[in-house]
Amino acid sequence: MEMTPWHIGGKTLNSRLLIGSALYPSPQVMQESIRASGAGIVTVSLRRQAAGDAAGQTFWQLIRELDLAILPNTAGCHSAKEAITTAQMAREVFQTNWIKLEVIGDEYNLQPDPFELVKAAEALIQDGFEVFPYTTDDLVLAKRLVEAGCRILMPWGSPIGSGKGLMNPYNLKAIRERFPDLQLIVDAGIGKPSDAVQAMELGYDGVLLNSAVALAQLPVKMASAFRSAVEAGRVGYEAGAMPERDFASPSTPVIGTPFWHQAEK
Amino acid sequence: MGKQLIEVVLNGDAMACKEGESLAAFLERLGYPADDFATAINETFVPRSDYDNRQLQPGDTIEVVVPMQGG
């Protein structure tokens, strides 16, 4: 399939899929799945480490071998202050100014805190970061993030890890229509390849997922399915779907229909 | 007279260190590797270039973080 290259955050990529590195049954399956997905961007995180524990370095080596763009997140942060500090630490460790900005406002559905999110986005953009904010599908919040300087928005499809797909396509569509030039990525809630197709057909520029692949029965195979889904959705969007109609219209030409069909009219 | 011991908190655990010990010396003494980690003290990021000059104070809360899986 011929998909136009994607210009995102100063890089040019051939895939519009962003994939997470968590929850896989093993480090090897993680590596194989990420490769099979064809993703150009992989998300990572930061966690405390005791001296002498090399788990973090071992993981980082596996990720480096994939040779992909790195998108660190601020998962687990509940305030702008925590998220800003985490982003600054991530920039030093991962040597990138990209940050997936997560500021959680509620533990039940891991919904972003809109007020702290905007505050953190503003500060990080002033500090030279390319902010990928994980946000809800609220149009006014999207506006505030754009006013703060965001060039990329990542509205949720549904809560993180729920696999419920796109809960509110209407809201996602409204954000797309309101911000035609912004880079929009559906982040969170994707469960099935058809969810990714739907997001791409709405005109979203990319899809970020993790659990849908990592928790599949066959993660590597599912990664490959998502690769195809994102490509199919994007190419379909670029091709332009036919207008929907409320009535039937025959696809077989009616001119020259044999005589025995005439009586059925 | 030797330097006094002070208490700091590293990744949530109380630890003793010498008064005035630099962050660089503290981390090296504990066996942290040369790179691939970052630190914050009292919730403020400390760039690697400041490790030598940053002297630990009583009650400092130090975070040391490394790459980890994330979505």
Side-chain angles (χ1 to χ4, degrees):
Chain A
M1 276 185 276
E2 293 272 331
M3 193 167 54
T4 53
W6 188 26
H7 305 288
I8 176 86
K11 294 184 194 293
T12 301
L13 303 171
N14 291 318
S15 168
R16 289 169 178 269
L17 178 59
L18 300 85
I19 194 162
S21 55
L23 302 174
Y24 294 89
S26 73
Q28 287 67 35
V29 172
M30 175 196 77
Q31 255 196 343
E32 282 178 49
S33 300
I34 295 172
R35 282 202 180 101
S37 77
I41 299 173
V42 61
T43 57
V44 294
S45 194
L46 285 173
R47 284 294 177 270
R48 284 174 169 174
Q49 180 174 276
D53 178 359
Q57 282 76 15
T58 306
F59 163 74
W60 182 218
Q61 183 53 36
L62 288 174
I63 293 294
R64 269 188 293 217
E65 286 170 13
L66 294 166
D67 195 25
L68 300 176
I70 303 295
L71 178 58
N73 70 27
T74 63
C77 291
H78 288 77
S79 69
K81 169 81 176 155
E82 285 175 14
I84 291 164
T85 301
T86 303
Q88 290 167 332
M89 292 195 286
R91 179 164 61 182
E92 188 177 78
V93 169
F94 297 112
Q95 297 290 299
T96 176
N97 71 334
W98 283 14
I99 193 73
K100 175 183 166 179
L101 182 59
E102 285 184 56
V103 189
I104 298 303
D106 186 85
E107 282 305 316
Y108 177 71
N109 64 355
L110 299 178
Q111 183 168 336
D113 180 323
F115 310 101
E116 293 295 299
L117 183 67
V118 172
K119 206 193 293 179
E122 220 159 27
L124 289 170
I125 288 165
Q126 278 175 11
D127 193 16
F129 282 88
E130 185 73 72
V131 176
F132 292 60
Y134 162 62
T135 178
T136 60
D137 53 23
D138 185 294
L139 178 63
V140 178
L141 174 54
K143 277 178 80 171
R144 295 285 177 270
L145 288 165
V146 172
E147 284 162 10
C150 291
R151 304 186 297 173
I152 300 160
L153 293 182
M154 301 207 297
W156 67 357
S158 48
I160 295 173
S162 69
K164 287 185 177 296
L166 309 189
M167 278 190 314
N168 198 333
Y170 172 82
N171 276 12
L172 292 172
K173 206 171 162 185
I175 295 173
R176 175 72 289 172
E177 283 174 10
R178 185 69 181 83
F179 300 107
D181 301 323
L182 216 62
Q183 293 296 322
L184 294 178
I185 297 163
V186 169
D187 176 14
I190 299 286
K192 300 182 292 294
S194 56
D195 302 329
V197 175
Q198 190 188 5
M200 299 306 290
E201 285 177 347
L202 286 176
Y204 272 64
D205 298 285
V207 167
L208 196 165
L209 55 90
N210 190 156
S211 306
V213 167
L215 302 184
Q217 290 182 29
L218 301 171
V220 179
K221 199 164 189 174
M222 187 59 88
S224 166
F226 272 106
R227 176 186 195 148
S228 302
V230 169
E231 282 180 14
R234 179 64 192 183
V235 175
Y237 172 73
E238 289 175 5
M242 63 163 276
E244 200 176 309
R245 290 185 288 227
D246 286 334
F247 48 87
S249 176
S251 48
T252 304
V254 289
I255 297 170
T257 304
F259 65 90
W260 57 82
H261 284 171
Q262 301 297 316
E264 294 172 9
K265 283 188 178 173
Chain B
M1 211 169 105
K3 284 185 176 173
Q4 297 272 320
L5 286 180
I6 59 168
E7 192 175 274
V8 295
V9 177
L10 172 67
N11 287 346
D13 295 325
M15 301 194 70
C17 77
K18 287 179 200 157
E19 189 179 11
E21 185 172 19
S22 72
L23 178 60
F26 176 73
L27 294 172
E28 194 184 334
R29 183 163 59 78
L30 291 176
Y32 275 99
D35 48 21
D36 293 339
F37 70 88
T39 64
I41 296 181
N42 304 329
E43 292 186 33
T44 300
F45 170 59
V46 181
R48 192 163 285 269
S49 54
D50 289 355
Y51 285 7
D52 283 331
N53 297 325
R54 181 62 185 253
Q55 292 187 331
L56 297 178
Q57 305 296 320
D60 274 349
T61 299
I62 306 156
E63 296 287 334
V64 178
V65 295
V66 295
M68 199 50 67
Q69 294 87 342

